[in-house]
PDB file of all heavy atoms in Angstrom:
ATOM      1  N   MET A1187       3.066 -26.590 -47.255  1.00 96.00           N
ATOM      2  CA  MET A1187       3.175 -25.892 -45.980  1.00 96.00           C
ATOM      3  C   MET A1187       3.768 -26.799 -44.910  1.00 96.00           C
ATOM      4  O   MET A1187       4.555 -26.364 -44.068  1.00 96.00           O
ATOM      5  CB  MET A1187       1.805 -25.368 -45.554  1.00 96.00           C
ATOM      6  CG  MET A1187       1.273 -24.256 -46.436  1.00 96.00           C
ATOM      7  SD  MET A1187      -0.367 -23.666 -45.950  1.00 96.00           S
ATOM      8  CE  MET A1187      -1.404 -24.906 -46.746  1.00 96.00           C
ATOM      9  N   ALA A1188       3.398 -28.075 -44.949  1.00 97.00           N
ATOM     10  CA  ALA A1188       3.860 -29.019 -43.928  1.00 97.00           C
ATOM     11  C   ALA A1188       5.371 -29.200 -43.964  1.00 97.00           C
ATOM     12  O   ALA A1188       6.012 -29.329 -42.914  1.00 97.00           O
ATOM     13  CB  ALA A1188       3.163 -30.360 -44.099  1.00 97.00           C
ATOM     14  N   GLU A1189       5.969 -29.221 -45.153  1.00 97.00           N
ATOM     15  CA  GLU A1189       7.423 -29.420 -45.194  1.00 97.00           C
ATOM     16  C   GLU A1189       8.166 -28.180 -44.690  1.00 97.00           C
ATOM     17  O   GLU A1189       9.274 -28.289 -44.181  1.00 97.00           O
ATOM     18  CB  GLU A1189       7.895 -29.828 -46.586  1.00 97.00           C
ATOM     19  CG  GLU A1189       7.700 -28.836 -47.693  1.00 97.00           C
ATOM     20  CD  GLU A1189       8.185 -29.373 -49.041  1.00 97.00           C
ATOM     21  OE1 GLU A1189       9.294 -29.956 -49.084  1.00 97.00           O
ATOM     22  OE2 GLU A1189       7.457 -29.216 -50.040  1.00 97.00           O
ATOM     23  N   VAL A1190       7.540 -27.015 -44.788  1.00 97.00           N
ATOM     24  CA  VAL A1190       8.140 -25.811 -44.202  1.00 97.00           C
ATOM     25  C   VAL A1190       8.153 -25.934 -42.681  1.00 97.00           C
ATOM     26  O   VAL A1190       9.154 -25.637 -42.022  1.00 97.00           O
ATOM     27  CB  VAL A1190       7.381 -24.539 -44.632  1.00 97.00           C
ATOM     28  CG1 VAL A1190       8.007 -23.300 -43.997  1.00 97.00           C
ATOM     29  CG2 VAL A1190       7.357 -24.408 -46.152  1.00 97.00           C
ATOM     30  N   ILE A1191       7.033 -26.384 -42.115  1.00 98.00           N
ATOM     31  CA  ILE A1191       6.964 -26.587 -40.658  1.00 98.00           C
ATOM     32  C   ILE A1191       7.981 -27.639 -40.228  1.00 98.00           C
ATOM     33  O   ILE A1191       8.641 -27.508 -39.183  1.00 98.00           O
ATOM     34  CB  ILE A1191       5.541 -26.996 -40.223  1.00 98.00           C
ATOM     35  CG1 ILE A1191       4.502 -25.957 -40.678  1.00 98.00           C
ATOM     36  CG2 ILE A1191       5.476 -27.199 -38.712  1.00 98.00           C
ATOM     37  CD1 ILE A1191       4.739 -24.556 -40.147  1.00 98.00           C
ATOM     38  N   LYS A1192       8.134 -28.686 -41.016  1.00 98.00           N
ATOM     39  CA  LYS A1192       9.126 -29.730 -40.702  1.00 98.00           C
ATOM     40  C   LYS A1192      10.527 -29.126 -40.605  1.00 98.00           C
ATOM     41  O   LYS A1192      11.281 -29.435 -39.668  1.00 98.00           O
ATOM     42  CB  LYS A1192       9.103 -30.812 -41.786  1.00 98.00           C
ATOM     43  CG  LYS A1192      10.129 -31.935 -41.585  1.00 98.00           C
ATOM     44  CD  LYS A1192      10.268 -32.822 -42.814  1.00 98.00           C
ATOM     45  CE  LYS A1192      10.998 -32.102 -43.928  1.00 98.00           C
ATOM     46  NZ  LYS A1192      11.280 -32.940 -45.106  1.00 98.00           N
ATOM     47  N   GLU A1193      10.875 -28.229 -41.537  1.00 98.00           N
ATOM     48  CA  GLU A1193      12.208 -27.605 -41.511  1.00 98.00           C
ATOM     49  C   GLU A1193      12.371 -26.686 -40.301  1.00 98.00           C
ATOM     50  O   GLU A1193      13.451 -26.599 -39.712  1.00 98.00           O
ATOM     51  CB  GLU A1193      12.451 -26.833 -42.806  1.00 98.00           C
ATOM     52  CG  GLU A1193      12.578 -27.700 -44.045  1.00 98.00           C
ATOM     53  CD  GLU A1193      13.781 -28.639 -43.995  1.00 98.00           C
ATOM     54  OE1 GLU A1193      14.744 -28.365 -43.247  1.00 98.00           O
ATOM     55  OE2 GLU A1193      13.764 -29.668 -44.709  1.00 98.00           O
ATOM     56  N   ILE A1194      11.297 -26.017 -39.913  1.00 98.00           N
ATOM     57  CA  ILE A1194      11.350 -25.169 -38.704  1.00 98.00           C
ATOM     58  C   ILE A1194      11.554 -26.036 -37.465  1.00 98.00           C
ATOM     59  O   ILE A1194      12.330 -25.689 -36.562  1.00 98.00           O
ATOM     60  CB  ILE A1194      10.069 -24.310 -38.587  1.00 98.00           C
ATOM     61  CG1 ILE A1194      10.020 -23.276 -39.717  1.00 98.00           C
ATOM     62  CG2 ILE A1194      10.000 -23.610 -37.223  1.00 98.00           C
ATOM     63  CD1 ILE A1194       8.702 -22.532 -39.817  1.00 98.00           C
ATOM     64  N   ASN A1195      10.888 -27.193 -37.424  1.00 98.00           N
ATOM     65  CA  ASN A1195      11.092 -28.132 -36.310  1.00 98.00           C
ATOM     66  C   ASN A1195      12.554 -28.542 -36.201  1.00 98.00           C
ATOM     67  O   ASN A1195      13.129 -28.567 -35.103  1.00 98.00           O
ATOM     68  CB  ASN A1195      10.251 -29.393 -36.517  1.00 98.00           C
ATOM     69  CG  ASN A1195       8.763 -29.160 -36.342  1.00 98.00           C
ATOM     70  OD1 ASN A1195       8.348 -28.236 -35.659  1.00 98.00           O
ATOM     71  ND2 ASN A1195       7.962 -29.998 -36.980  1.00 98.00           N
ATOM     72  N   ILE A1196      13.148 -28.868 -37.334  1.00 98.00           N
ATOM     73  CA  ILE A1196      14.544 -29.321 -37.345  1.00 98.00           C
ATOM     74  C   ILE A1196      15.467 -28.202 -36.887  1.00 98.00           C
ATOM     75  O   ILE A1196      16.366 -28.409 -36.055  1.00 98.00           O
ATOM     76  CB  ILE A1196      14.939 -29.812 -38.751  1.00 98.00           C
ATOM     77  CG1 ILE A1196      14.167 -31.098 -39.106  1.00 98.00           C
ATOM     78  CG2 ILE A1196      16.441 -30.071 -38.841  1.00 98.00           C
ATOM     79  CD1 ILE A1196      14.274 -31.497 -40.561  1.00 98.00           C
ATOM     80  N   ALA A1197      15.232 -26.998 -37.402  1.00 98.00           N
ATOM     81  CA  ALA A1197      16.125 -25.870 -37.104  1.00 98.00           C
ATOM     82  C   ALA A1197      16.017 -25.396 -35.664  1.00 98.00           C
ATOM     83  O   ALA A1197      16.975 -24.849 -35.108  1.00 98.00           O
ATOM     84  CB  ALA A1197      15.844 -24.710 -38.059  1.00 98.00           C
ATOM     85  N   THR A1198      14.848 -25.583 -35.040  1.00 98.00           N
ATOM     86  CA  THR A1198      14.637 -25.094 -33.671  1.00 98.00           C
ATOM     87  C   THR A1198      14.636 -26.204 -32.629  1.00 98.00           C
ATOM     88  O   THR A1198      14.508 -25.928 -31.431  1.00 98.00           O
ATOM     89  CB  THR A1198      13.295 -24.337 -33.566  1.00 98.00           C
ATOM     90  OG1 THR A1198      12.223 -25.247 -33.875  1.00 98.00           O
ATOM     91  CG2 THR A1198      13.255 -23.149 -34.523  1.00 98.00           C
ATOM     92  N   ASN A1199      14.725 -27.469 -33.073  1.00 97.00           N
ATOM     93  CA  ASN A1199      14.692 -28.626 -32.166  1.00 97.00           C
ATOM     94  C   ASN A1199      13.429 -28.678 -31.313  1.00 97.00           C
ATOM     95  O   ASN A1199      13.434 -29.223 -30.198  1.00 97.00           O
ATOM     96  CB  ASN A1199      15.930 -28.618 -31.244  1.00 97.00           C
ATOM     97  CG  ASN A1199      17.219 -28.798 -32.018  1.00 97.00           C
ATOM     98  OD1 ASN A1199      17.322 -29.678 -32.867  1.00 97.00           O
ATOM     99  ND2 ASN A1199      18.205 -27.951 -31.744  1.00 97.00           N
ATOM    100  N   GLY A1200      12.358 -28.105 -31.812  1.00 96.00           N
ATOM    101  CA  GLY A1200      11.092 -28.133 -31.076  1.00 96.00           C
ATOM    102  C   GLY A1200      11.070 -27.221 -29.865  1.00 96.00           C
ATOM    103  O   GLY A1200      10.198 -27.354 -29.004  1.00 96.00           O
ATOM    104  N   ASN A1201      12.018 -26.277 -29.799  1.00 97.00           N
ATOM    105  CA  ASN A1201      12.113 -25.402 -28.624  1.00 97.00           C
ATOM    106  C   ASN A1201      11.562 -23.997 -28.865  1.00 97.00           C
ATOM    107  O   ASN A1201      11.609 -23.156 -27.969  1.00 97.00           O
ATOM    108  CB  ASN A1201      13.569 -25.294 -28.167  1.00 97.00           C
ATOM    109  CG  ASN A1201      14.109 -26.617 -27.649  1.00 97.00           C
ATOM    110  OD1 ASN A1201      13.392 -27.358 -26.960  1.00 97.00           O
ATOM    111  ND2 ASN A1201      15.348 -26.942 -27.992  1.00 97.00           N
ATOM    112  N   ALA A1202      11.063 -23.727 -30.056  1.00 98.00           N
ATOM    113  CA  ALA A1202      10.600 -22.379 -30.386  1.00 98.00           C
ATOM    114  C   ALA A1202       9.172 -22.139 -29.922  1.00 98.00           C
ATOM    115  O   ALA A1202       8.396 -23.075 -29.710  1.00 98.00           O
ATOM    116  CB  ALA A1202      10.701 -22.148 -31.892  1.00 98.00           C
ATOM    117  N   VAL A1203       8.833 -20.865 -29.784  1.00 98.00           N
ATOM    118  CA  VAL A1203       7.440 -20.444 -29.679  1.00 98.00           C
ATOM    119  C   VAL A1203       6.949 -20.238 -31.107  1.00 98.00           C
ATOM    120  O   VAL A1203       7.554 -19.483 -31.873  1.00 98.00           O
ATOM    121  CB  VAL A1203       7.302 -19.122 -28.896  1.00 98.00           C
ATOM    122  CG1 VAL A1203       5.850 -18.638 -28.910  1.00 98.00           C
ATOM    123  CG2 VAL A1203       7.795 -19.287 -27.465  1.00 98.00           C
ATOM    124  N   ILE A1204       5.896 -20.948 -31.479  1.00 98.00           N
ATOM    125  CA  ILE A1204       5.326 -20.798 -32.809  1.00 98.00           C
ATOM    126  C   ILE A1204       4.043 -19.981 -32.694  1.00 98.00           C
ATOM    127  O   ILE A1204       3.125 -20.347 -31.964  1.00 98.00           O
ATOM    128  CB  ILE A1204       5.004 -22.163 -33.457  1.00 98.00           C
ATOM    129  CG1 ILE A1204       6.254 -23.066 -33.474  1.00 98.00           C
ATOM    130  CG2 ILE A1204       4.452 -21.962 -34.864  1.00 98.00           C
ATOM    131  CD1 ILE A1204       7.360 -22.622 -34.371  1.00 98.00           C
TER     132      ILE A1204
END
Side-chain angles (χ1 to χ4, degrees):
M1187 292 179 277
E1189 64 181 315
V1190 179
I1191 304 301
K1192 178 192 72 175
E1193 292 297 338
I1194 293 171
N1195 289 335
I1196 293 168
T1198 62
N1199 295 313
N1201 294 321
V1203 175
I1204 305 292

